[in-house]
Amino acid sequence: AQKVTQAQTEISVVEKEDVTLDCVYETRDTTYYLFWYKQPPSGELVFLIRRNSFDEQNEISGRYSWNFQKSTSSFNFTITASQVVDSAVYFCALVASGGYNKLIFGAGTRLAVHP
Amino acid sequence: DAMVIQNPRYQVTQFGKPVTLSCSQTLNHNVMYWYQQKSSQAPKLLFHYYDKDFNNEADTPDNFQSRRPNTSFCFLDIRSPGLGDAAMYLCATSRDRGGMRDEQFFGPGTRLTVL
């Protein structure tokens, strides 16, 4: 069975704080892909990052960084110096290599950044 | 610049009155998806097209149908909307490269209200 757990339902921070969104996944496949999507209040899901299971290198993109650890089945997302525009629901998702490109979403974490 | 377009953005229908939502894409992707997203939940895949091949999720009600007349367009038909079908409907596309799992690009969604 494949599953994604985002234990944090809601996080509230003040602008300029750093915040980490947790994602833990379960799969028996050796080849899989992990994604993060952002859903702002407008509703559109915006792709942030894709990582395959053979690439454990952490990634940094501006204020965003991702920490992929296969040993703990985690793919955590950190926003440095948060801004009000970061307020959104963030979804972590998993796709296995077999079958088709079906995203298995976590429940999402709602991030509220206050001025 | 718009890549995945959904019309209308807001749709109001009456209980039992058929409704059609549309999605178009300029990415020339061969795979198109329809998701249903209810309030405070993750998106739920209803079905997807791989080129012209239709793939229904096992738990998608028969009330939901889809058509894909060409690569660019895909329609979601709800034959007899019930109150429980009120949701955001998201269209997404991706390209298929064998076992590679590319990211899905989402449209802005259509918010359906059933009166």
Side-chain angles (χ1 to χ4, degrees):
Chain A
Q2 298 175 65
K3 186 179 176 183
V4 175
T5 301
Q6 295 180 256
Q8 304 148 310
T9 306
E10 293 189 30
I11 301 175
S12 181
V13 299
V14 176
E15 214 170 12
K16 297 183 183 176
E17 280 187 42
D18 297 347
V19 58
T20 295
L21 283 61
D22 297 332
C23 173
V24 174
Y25 63 91
E26 294 175 33
T27 180
R28 292 181 181 163
D29 293 308
T30 55
T31 303
Y32 52 89
Y33 296 79
L34 296 164
F35 300 81
W36 275 96
Y37 281 87
K38 173 183 180 180
Q39 188 173 38
S42 60
E44 180 174 352
L45 271 90
V46 178
F47 165 75
L48 296 178
I49 190 171
R50 165 183 173 268
R51 176 66 80 226
N52 75 54
S53 52
F54 298 109
D55 182 3
E56 283 193 77
Q57 216 171 15
N58 291 329
E59 180 150 342
I60 298 175
S61 176
R63 296 183 297 106
Y64 294 173
S65 62
W66 290 268
N67 183 347
F68 177 26
Q69 293 202 343
K70 287 178 76 171
S71 60
T72 56
S73 298
S74 65
F75 187 41
N76 296 338
F77 172 32
T78 297
I79 302 175
T80 303
S82 59
Q83 300 177 2
V84 172
V85 293
D86 296 326
S87 297
V89 179
Y90 291 86
F91 291 99
C92 180
L94 164 74
V95 175
S97 63
Y100 54 96
N101 192 6
K102 178 175 180 176
L103 286 165
I104 307 298
F105 284 98
T109 297
R110 182 177 299 277
L111 174 65
V113 182
H114 303 284
Chain B
D1 285 328
M3 296 184 290
V4 183
I5 303 161
Q6 291 188 244
N7 287 305
R9 295 292 310 277
Y10 300 91
Q11 176 74 57
V12 179
T13 190
Q14 291 183 334
F15 183 95
K17 185 174 180 182
V19 65
T20 294
L21 310 182
S22 77
C23 176
S24 63
Q25 54 135 337
T26 59
L27 298 162
N28 204 34
H29 284 168
N30 57 338
V31 191
M32 294 187 77
Y33 311 78
W34 278 105
Y35 290 85
Q36 178 193 63
Q37 186 180 25
K38 296 189 176 180
S39 183
S40 300
Q41 295 182 20
K44 176 180 180 297
L45 183 65
L46 295 173
F47 26 60
H48 75 279
Y49 273 95
Y50 187 110
D51 292 321
K52 284 192 171 293
D53 292 335
F54 177 71
N55 299 274
N56 203 27
E57 291 298 297
D59 57 355
T60 298
D62 292 340
N63 197 26
F64 292 88
Q65 305 281 316
S66 186
R67 297 170 282 136
R68 188 179 186 186
N70 53 52
T71 300
S72 302
F73 285 86
C74 196
F75 300 97
L76 170 61
D77 301 308
I78 308 177
R79 292 193 297 187
S80 181
L83 297 179
D85 296 328
M88 175 78 90
Y89 290 88
L90 295 162
C91 174
T93 74
S94 71
R95 60 178 175 168
D96 183 86
R97 295 187 290 156
M100 301 290 285
R101 297 295 179 238
D102 286 347
E103 63 271 24
Q104 295 182 21
F105 291 85
F106 285 81
T110 294
R111 185 167 297 282
L112 178 68
T113 300
V114 182
L115 301 177

